[in-house]
């Protein structure tokens, strides 16, 4: 009887066969297009390809030229500044808004829609709107001066030293609503008994958030960090819409550098080298996330 049951059990390979067959196109897409395209880009970053790809290897010449280019160095500096402040402010503002929403306030759905609405806009639209708002001729500076403060100056998009912060303002306006929704979903998943116990024990609300709630929301924070970080690395639309990399090269970012060299300067080798550096940046983000999300979980289990 036991032997019959054993032979009647389907092979592990053929379990959920329909689902496995249905996933074949997705797997092929991932392997051929994404993985294949990645390897192709890395390979040709070691060549002197110009208008068309060609396998004439030049070693690390493209990377040496890349890191010797002032425009690329400025791009990396801007990405570091933009990324640091975007991560900090997105998480802090998003969490604070979520904590306020979690207080069962009136018209919660209305406020949630208002905060999330900017995320539904394209980055180009957001960039153009904030280009108008930050324009000194008819934006915030003009409005404040018309109220009597004639010496007020606020023109970040036209000042090289702070132009990246003007782009950051637009990015925070658009992306903070999504962070708020992710955090709110995490807060709503917290057991109500935890809040009751903290109130019974007389623990202040800020301590409850800091010492109990936030550690329990670790998976939400990790996922949110990855989403924000991936958006930071590929920032492009906002820059093009607001400043086109100006004044001069003051607001250049890596994604724009790649696009300009591949499709305007017709220097594929240099564009591929910059793309590979961006790929390394993404890997630095994804690998720790994968370990914390999967490897760390298995170890604890």
């Amino acid at each position: 009887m036991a032997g019959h049951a054993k032979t009647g059990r389907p092979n592990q390979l053929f379990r959920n066969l329909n689902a496995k067959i249905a996933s074949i196109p997705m797997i092929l897409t991932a392997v051929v297009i994404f993985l294949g395209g990645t390897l192709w880009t890395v390979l040709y970053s070691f060549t002197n390809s110009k208008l068309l790809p060609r396998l004439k290897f030049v070693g690390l010449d493209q990377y040496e030229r890349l890191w010797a280019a002032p425009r690329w160095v400025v791009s990396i500096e801007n990405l570091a500044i933009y990324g640091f402040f975007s991560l900090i402010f997105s998480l802090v503002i998003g969490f604070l808004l979520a904590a306020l929403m979690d207080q069962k306030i009136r018209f919660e759905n209305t406020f949630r829609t208002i905060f999330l609405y900017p995320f539904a806009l394209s980055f180009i639209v957001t960039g153009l709107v904030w280009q108008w708002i930050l324009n000194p001729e008819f934006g915030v500076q003009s409005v404040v001066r018309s109220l009597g403060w004639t010496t007020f100056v606020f023109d970040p998009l036209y000042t090289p030293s702070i132009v990246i912060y003007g782009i950051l303002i637009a990015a925070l306006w658009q992306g903070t609503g999504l962070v708020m929704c992710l955090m709110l979903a995490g807060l709503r998943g917290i057991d109500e008994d935890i809040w009751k116990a903290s109130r019974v024990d007389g623990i202040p609300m800020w301590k409850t958030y800091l010492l109990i709630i936030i550690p329990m929301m670790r998976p939400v924070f990790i996922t949110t960090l990855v989403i924000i970080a991936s958006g930071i690395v590929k920032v492009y639309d906002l820059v093009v819409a607001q400043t086109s990399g100006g004044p001069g090269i003051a607001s250049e970012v890596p994604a724009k550098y790649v696009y300009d060299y591949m499709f305007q300067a017709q220097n594929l080798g240099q564009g591929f080298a910059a793309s590979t550096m961006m790929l390394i940046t993404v890997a630095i983000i994804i690998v720790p996330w994968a370990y914390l999300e999967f490897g760390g979980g298995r170890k604890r289990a």
Side-chain angles (χ1 to χ4, degrees):
M1 182 71 68
H4 176 72
K6 186 175 181 179
T7 56
R9 182 180 301 170
N11 192 303
Q12 187 73 19
L13 180 65
F14 296 102
R15 295 181 65 181
N16 301 321
L17 186 60
N18 291 336
K20 291 178 179 178
I21 293 174
S23 66
I24 289 176
M26 181 186 67
I27 295 172
L28 290 176
T29 300
V31 172
V32 175
I33 296 180
F34 296 125
L35 183 59
T38 298
L39 294 176
W40 190 84
T41 298
V42 173
L43 175 66
Y44 277 89
S45 70
F46 296 101
T47 68
N48 66 344
S49 301
K50 296 295 183 182
L51 178 60
L52 296 173
R54 58 177 179 175
L55 275 174
K56 185 177 180 181
F57 291 100
V58 293
L60 296 174
D61 285 1
Q62 295 289 4
Y63 293 93
E64 291 174 359
R65 288 180 54 209
L66 180 69
W67 286 102
R71 184 178 173 186
W72 175 256
V73 175
V74 170
S75 298
I76 295 299
E77 291 174 352
N78 284 336
L79 188 67
I81 295 170
Y82 174 87
F84 176 78
F85 287 107
S86 183
L87 274 175
I88 299 298
F89 285 116
S90 292
L91 285 174
V92 172
I93 297 173
F95 184 80
L96 290 176
L97 289 175
L100 291 173
M101 289 289 179
D102 197 40
Q103 305 306 310
K104 309 297 189 296
I105 62 174
R106 295 179 63 185
F107 308 113
E108 177 189 328
N109 291 336
T110 302
F111 284 113
R112 193 164 53 200
T113 302
I114 292 172
F115 287 129
L116 188 60
Y117 175 75
F119 188 73
L121 301 176
S122 72
F123 286 105
I124 293 294
V125 172
T126 298
L128 292 174
V129 168
W130 279 94
Q131 183 191 56
W132 180 84
I133 293 173
L134 298 177
N135 190 304
E137 297 298 324
F138 43 80
V140 174
Q141 177 176 299
S142 176
V143 172
V144 174
R145 286 187 176 185
S146 67
L147 297 175
W149 288 278
T150 55
T151 59
F152 178 79
V153 177
F154 187 66
D155 56 348
L157 298 185
Y158 298 86
T159 307
S161 60
I162 59 172
V163 62
I164 195 65
Y165 299 102
I167 296 170
L168 176 66
I169 292 171
L172 291 174
W173 179 79
Q174 181 165 27
T176 303
L178 175 65
V179 177
M180 180 204 70
C181 288
L182 293 171
M183 295 295 175
L184 184 59
L187 288 171
R188 293 285 163 86
I190 301 296
D191 194 336
E192 188 65 29
D193 291 339
I194 293 175
W195 294 106
K196 293 178 181 178
S198 66
R199 285 194 292 268
V200 169
D201 292 340
I203 303 175
M205 181 173 287
W206 68 270
K207 274 193 174 182
T208 304
Y209 275 111
L210 191 62
L211 302 178
I212 301 174
I213 303 302
I214 291 178
M216 291 181 67
M217 291 177 60
R218 174 179 166 274
V220 177
F221 273 94
I222 292 174
T223 301
T224 305
L225 278 170
V226 171
I227 293 173
I228 297 172
S230 63
I232 289 169
V233 172
K234 62 183 182 182
V235 62
Y236 171 80
D237 313 60
L238 280 176
V239 175
V240 171
Q242 287 186 272
T243 65
S244 294
I249 60 171
S251 60
E252 287 287 339
V253 289
K256 186 175 181 298
Y257 184 96
V258 171
Y259 179 87
D260 287 349
Y261 268 86
M262 291 184 70
F263 299 106
Q264 293 184 6
Q266 297 177 350
N267 190 337
L268 291 179
Q270 184 70 183
F272 290 147
S275 298
T276 303
M277 297 309 301
M278 290 181 66
L279 173 66
I280 292 172
T281 305
V282 173
I284 291 172
I285 296 168
I286 295 297
V287 171
W289 169 78
Y291 174 78
L292 290 171
E293 196 71 10
F294 302 107
R298 283 198 300 268
K299 188 174 180 180
R300 287 192 303 271

